[in-house]
Amino acid sequence: MAQQGQPHMQMQQMQYLQPMPSPQQHEQPQVPQHVQQQFQPMQPQHQITDQGQQQQPQLQQPQPSPTPQLPNGPPPPPQDRLYNTWDALREDVKSFAKSQGYAIVIVSSLNRDAEGQYRRYNLCCAKGGKNYTSHSKGLRNTRSAKTGCPMRMKAIQEKAWPYNDKWHVVVQCAEHNHEPFTGGPGANAPAQFRKIEADGMRWLMIMHREAQCNLRQLTIGIRISFGDKYQYVKKSDVRNMLAKIKREEERKAAADAASQGLPSGAAYTLIPQAHLPPPPMPQPVERMPALPAEMQVPDPDMESDDDGDEL
């Protein structure tokens, strides 16, 4: 019995004396082939063609375009000029801005005097303000010309020296965020450059009524007659101006008719008394001789229509 148990104890001792396997000697678990292909590391896109040279990747990530900056944009109106009236300042500022490729509009008016006249106007570029999003379902493709231009200024009438109750311009922001209008072929001119004033309205009224010109002839004629002032006027502007003149005349005629006691919807108006023709001169009229007594009959207008038969 002792000899049979001795080999068994020797085998157990040999197992305990064997060195423990290191972690690196553990067998790696087998991974399926489709899983190995899924988790393979990404290969670089560039390949080495020559010694020390690498081929650049073909696809490059697009970079966002920077916001256009206009450090040398159109200059603001001069601030060293004094004007006697607001109308003179407005015309001068408008012509200066037009020569530089932008338009000026009124934002608000403040500070009324005792006579009710404003003493301050806030002005800005015509492209200032937020874009208007139309929710109309019409057929016309409308879009806003606003770009949020920050250019702002104010026109003030000050009494203190050295202004002496005259108007002047104070520029609050001179930068623009858009290109100036250059007037190239096919360019869409701002609406302020196409506005027809009193002299153009009078010319259109005469040429439309006296010369019987159509829209095309009126548009070409007003561009030639007034030069650069109305060089951007379109046929639609001429059509709208003629319609405006007609509405104003109809409104004035209705007011005159109401003042004279005529109905507001009357199809006629009254000529002023100073323009009425002179009354006709009395003319001698030969009257017919009276009829003899036997030929006279009762006047039917003097008889009654009642026959006496009705109950």
Side-chain angles (χ1 to χ4, degrees):
M1 293 295 292
Q3 294 178 356
Q4 294 179 356
Q6 185 175 2
H8 179 69
M9 294 180 60
Q10 292 179 358
M11 291 178 64
Q12 289 182 353
Q13 291 178 1
M14 291 176 65
Q15 291 179 359
Y16 284 114
L17 294 176
Q18 290 180 357
M20 296 296 294
S22 62
Q24 298 180 357
Q25 295 179 356
H26 284 288
E27 295 183 356
Q28 297 292 337
Q30 296 183 358
V31 182
Q33 185 176 1
H34 67 277
V35 178
Q36 295 180 2
Q37 295 178 357
Q38 182 177 1
F39 290 97
Q40 284 183 355
M42 297 293 295
Q43 298 295 332
Q45 296 181 359
H46 57 273
Q47 298 178 359
I48 300 176
T49 57
D50 297 331
Q51 295 182 359
Q53 296 182 0
Q54 292 183 356
Q55 184 179 359
Q56 297 295 331
Q58 297 180 358
L59 299 178
Q60 295 182 359
Q61 186 177 3
Q63 298 180 358
S65 59
T67 305
Q69 301 292 336
L70 302 175
N72 298 324
Q79 306 184 64
D80 56 350
R81 301 179 183 179
L82 295 177
Y83 306 90
N84 294 327
T85 61
W86 154 247
D87 295 333
L89 183 147
R90 180 184 58 189
E91 294 299 325
D92 185 66
V93 169
K94 184 170 64 174
S95 62
F96 178 85
K98 184 177 181 180
S99 65
Q100 300 299 325
Y102 63 95
I104 296 295
V105 295
I106 300 176
V107 179
S108 60
S109 53
L110 305 171
N111 302 343
R112 287 192 178 185
D113 56 9
E115 299 178 357
Q117 302 295 329
Y118 290 107
R119 301 179 63 88
R120 171 177 172 175
Y121 290 91
N122 294 326
L123 312 174
C124 74
C125 177
K127 290 184 175 294
K130 298 181 179 179
N131 292 336
Y132 172 73
T133 304
S134 177
H135 301 284
S136 175
K137 297 181 180 179
L139 301 178
R140 293 185 298 177
N141 184 16
T142 59
R143 58 181 181 180
S144 177
K146 303 291 185 180
T147 61
C149 182
M151 192 273 176
R152 297 182 65 88
M153 62 182 181
K154 58 184 178 181
I156 308 176
Q157 183 185 19
E158 295 191 23
K159 295 183 178 181
W161 187 87
Y163 307 107
N164 298 329
D165 207 16
K166 293 185 178 181
W167 290 83
H168 67 101
V169 174
V170 177
V171 178
Q172 298 169 314
C173 180
E175 286 78 15
H176 295 262
N177 63 353
H178 56 90
E179 295 289 342
F181 174 74
T182 56
N188 189 14
Q192 291 75 16
F193 292 178
R194 310 194 316 263
K195 185 178 181 181
I196 302 176
E197 299 178 355
D199 53 352
M201 293 173 57
R202 185 165 51 252
W203 187 90
L204 288 176
M205 212 165 39
I206 294 173
M207 299 302 294
H208 178 62
R209 297 178 179 177
E210 301 296 334
Q212 300 294 321
C213 296
N214 55 26
L215 286 177
R216 181 177 181 275
Q217 294 170 344
L218 291 173
T219 306
I220 296 175
I222 195 172
R223 291 178 180 178
I224 297 175
S225 302
F226 292 90
D228 295 341
K229 185 174 183 179
Y230 298 133
Q231 61 178 332
Y232 302 116
V233 170
K234 301 180 180 179
K235 286 198 302 183
S236 58
D237 302 322
V238 175
R239 184 191 303 111
N240 295 337
M241 183 53 62
L242 293 177
K244 180 181 178 182
I245 294 173
K246 184 178 179 181
R247 289 195 303 268
E248 290 179 353
E249 290 181 347
E250 292 177 352
R251 191 181 300 111
K252 184 179 179 181
D256 294 342
S259 63
Q260 297 176 8
L262 297 176
S264 59
Y268 60 90
T269 56
L270 299 180
I271 301 175
Q273 190 69 27
H275 297 275
L276 287 175
M281 299 295 296
Q283 300 291 336
V285 179
E286 184 179 358
R287 297 182 179 276
M288 295 181 62
L291 295 175
E294 62 273 9
M295 297 181 62
Q296 292 184 1
V297 294
D299 189 357
D301 293 337
M302 302 301 295
E303 298 176 357
S304 176
D305 294 334
D306 187 4
D307 296 336
D309 299 335
E310 298 180 359
L311 296 179

